[in-house]
């Protein structure tokens, strides 16, 4: 545990304010899933940022196309219980997490075994041709906590001293070693709140525990990154205020979610029975002319639409 690491964590996680400043600068995992449409969602338990480049290489070796990769934050405390995902097409993979919890850390043997375990997991990931997938996780792991003596001796601490779940958490005094969140007392630095752990741990606030990779990949033939260009035709550029159904015809058929953006509001457009048509009901209170933007991933196209009131004034004379 070097002075450089100690100095860095004491700066980043000096207190609650400094921690949240960098923590909230990252998007949460759900934002990446809800933004687009995926045929497969792979949740690899305990998959930390340090494994991103290895997984990218392994996916490329399987001839999959890497679309994008990001670093995201998980909720606190950084545990599976708090960060459970519930999506369609989700496959939950626990092999890596089970290996961590069932084995005492031994350098360098543990790292070698972890590499092999990651390789096994990625080798089993298979997606059909022309499909898109995303890899997410619920938390990362810290091996550095093992190298420090405990800062406290809270016997009720869970996850090898990374946090305490207590109805009286708010009664704990302010301390540089932890933060208070809801009914949790959460370790802020590379020190345990109870005994010194023997394994890699999670649940606390260190970067390696709360930051996870998000990897988007596909099996689309002749795929070129950033090639997304769509021809979008708005079927109806004028609608009645009482029936604000907007329909767009899009080609080629997108593998991503389609959104309509109007007045700063983002509304998902659902696919119709008709080929390549997507519709949604707007919720505009006043008639008039508006700018409507249809967004598919990073691609977008703007249209001018007219919302009619439906009221026609009659001649009085």
């Amino acid at each position: 545990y070097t002075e450089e690491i100690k100095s860095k964590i004491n700066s980043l996680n000096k207190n609650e304010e400094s921690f949240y400043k960098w923590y909230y600068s990252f998007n949460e995992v759900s934002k990446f899933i809800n933004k687009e449409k995926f045929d497969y969602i792979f949740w690899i338990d305990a998959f930390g940022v340090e494994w991103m480049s290895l997984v990218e290489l392994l996916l490329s070796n399987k001839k999959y196309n890497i679309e994008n990769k990001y670093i995201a934050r998980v909720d606190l405390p950084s545990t599976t219980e708090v960060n459970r995902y519930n999506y369609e097409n989700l496959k939950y993979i626990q092999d890596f997490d089970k290996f961590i919890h069932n084995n005492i850390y031994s350098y360098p043997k543990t790292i070698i075994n972890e590499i092999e375990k990651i390789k096994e997991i990625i080798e089993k990931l298979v997606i059909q041709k022309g499909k898109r997938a995303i890899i997410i996780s619920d938390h990362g792991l810290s091996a550095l906590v093992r190298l420090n003596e405990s800062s406290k001796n809270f016997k009720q601490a869970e996850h090898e001293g990374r946090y305490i779940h207590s109805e009286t958490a708010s009664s704990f005094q302010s301390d540089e070693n932890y933060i208070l969140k809801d009914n949790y007392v959460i370790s802020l630095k590379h020190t345990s709140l109870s005994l010194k752990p023997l394994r890699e741990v999670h649940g606390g606030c260190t970067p390696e525990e709360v930051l996870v990779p998000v990897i988007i990949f596909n099996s689309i033939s002749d795929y070129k990154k950033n090639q997304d260009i769509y021809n979008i035709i708005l079927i109806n550029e004028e609608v009645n205020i009482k029936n604000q159904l907007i329909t767009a015809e899009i080609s080629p058929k997108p593998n991503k979610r389609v959104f309509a953006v109007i007045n700063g509001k983002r509304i998902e457009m659902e696919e119709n029975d008709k080929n390549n048509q997507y519709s949604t009901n707007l919720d505009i209170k006043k008639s008039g002319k508006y700018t409507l933007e249809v967004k598919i991933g990073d691609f977008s196209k703007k249209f001018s639409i007219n919302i009619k009131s439906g009221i026609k004034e009659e001649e009085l004379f």
Side-chain angles (χ1 to χ4, degrees):
Y1 196 76
T2 65
E3 284 299 319
E4 184 180 3
I5 294 173
K6 182 179 179 181
S7 173
K8 192 67 176 178
I9 199 67
N10 285 340
S11 172
L12 288 172
N13 289 13
K14 180 180 180 181
N15 51 39
E16 185 173 337
E17 182 182 359
S18 64
F19 165 69
Y20 281 126
K21 184 177 181 180
W22 68 259
Y23 172 76
Y24 282 118
S25 70
F26 293 91
N27 289 317
E28 55 189 349
V29 174
S30 60
K31 180 171 183 178
F32 298 98
I33 301 175
N34 297 334
K35 183 181 178 183
E36 301 183 29
K37 181 180 179 181
F38 299 102
D39 301 291
Y40 303 85
I41 299 174
F42 297 109
W43 165 13
I44 304 178
D45 201 324
F47 179 45
V49 174
E50 67 269 26
W51 300 111
M52 183 184 286
S53 58
L54 174 61
V55 169
E56 184 181 7
L57 174 66
L58 295 172
L59 290 172
S60 297
N61 288 345
K62 287 166 68 77
K63 306 304 179 185
Y64 291 138
N65 307 300
I66 308 298
E67 290 187 27
N68 275 307
K69 52 185 180 178
Y70 307 95
I71 295 176
R73 62 176 165 86
V74 299
D75 287 336
L76 298 173
S78 48
T79 64
T80 302
E81 291 76 11
V82 172
N83 291 283
R84 289 198 177 279
Y85 302 112
N86 184 22
Y87 296 100
E88 290 183 10
N89 306 324
L90 184 143
K91 180 175 176 58
Y92 180 28
I93 303 167
Q94 295 178 270
D95 305 35
F96 191 68
D97 186 69
K98 286 180 179 178
F99 173 80
I100 297 300
H101 288 296
N102 291 335
N103 291 276
I104 293 175
Y105 195 95
S106 175
Y107 175 84
K109 182 181 177 181
T110 296
I111 294 177
I112 295 169
N113 289 337
E114 287 177 348
I115 291 172
E116 292 304 316
K117 185 60 66 176
I118 289 289
K119 288 168 68 176
E120 285 178 22
I121 291 170
I122 302 304
E123 187 57 38
K124 292 177 183 177
L125 298 191
V126 178
I127 64 175
Q128 294 177 350
K129 282 189 176 182
K131 302 296 184 180
R132 299 179 74 237
I134 186 171
I135 293 175
I136 58 172
S137 189
D138 50 344
H139 60 79
L141 298 163
S142 177
L144 295 173
V145 182
R146 304 164 27 261
L147 306 177
N148 288 300
E149 295 301 327
S150 301
S151 60
K152 301 290 178 183
N153 189 23
F154 295 132
K155 294 181 180 178
Q156 68 268 50
E158 302 176 44
H159 269 63
E160 300 202 42
R162 297 313 287 156
Y163 69 89
I164 298 168
H165 185 215
S166 171
E167 297 295 330
T168 60
S170 59
S171 66
F172 279 70
Q173 294 182 349
S174 297
D175 193 295
E176 64 179 10
N177 296 292
Y178 56 75
I179 62 169
L180 306 178
K181 180 181 181 292
D182 302 326
N183 290 327
Y184 292 97
V185 180
I186 309 171
S187 180
L188 193 56
K189 299 181 174 70
H190 291 119
T191 50
S192 169
L193 299 178
S194 59
L195 298 176
K196 189 176 180 180
L198 300 174
R199 300 168 182 81
E200 286 180 285
V201 291
H202 61 93
C205 295
T206 65
E208 62 267 33
E209 292 172 278
V210 302
L211 298 180
V212 295
V214 173
I215 302 176
I216 299 173
F217 65 102
N218 68 59
S219 56
I220 300 170
S221 300
D222 301 322
Y223 172 82
K224 292 181 181 178
K225 193 171 182 180
N226 301 325
Q227 69 172 0
D228 293 345
I229 298 175
Y230 299 94
N231 180 34
I232 304 176
I233 300 172
L234 204 60
I235 302 299
N236 48 340
E237 296 184 352
E238 187 172 82
V239 294
N240 192 291
I241 199 165
K242 293 182 180 179
N243 180 18
Q244 300 181 28
L245 184 70
I246 286 284
T247 301
E249 188 172 282
I250 304 172
S251 60
K253 183 178 178 179
N255 279 314
K256 301 179 180 180
R257 294 186 180 185
V258 180
F259 294 91
V261 181
I262 187 168
N263 270 9
K265 186 177 181 182
R266 181 183 173 104
I267 314 163
E268 184 167 1
M269 300 185 75
E270 299 291 340
E271 186 177 359
N272 295 345
D273 292 334
K274 293 183 179 180
N275 246 353
N276 293 9
Q277 287 193 2
Y278 294 77
S279 298
T280 190
N281 271 296
L282 306 179
D283 186 24
I284 303 298
K285 306 302 181 185
K286 293 183 179 180
S287 60
K289 292 189 180 295
Y290 293 87
T291 298
L292 175 80
E293 184 177 13
V294 178
K295 288 184 66 71
I296 309 166
D298 294 327
F299 182 86
S300 67
K301 186 174 180 180
K302 293 182 179 180
F303 300 90
S304 179
I305 66 168
N306 182 34
I307 298 179
K308 301 183 298 181
S309 67
I311 299 173
K312 185 177 180 180
E313 186 175 332
E314 294 185 0
E315 292 285 342
L316 297 178
F317 303 101

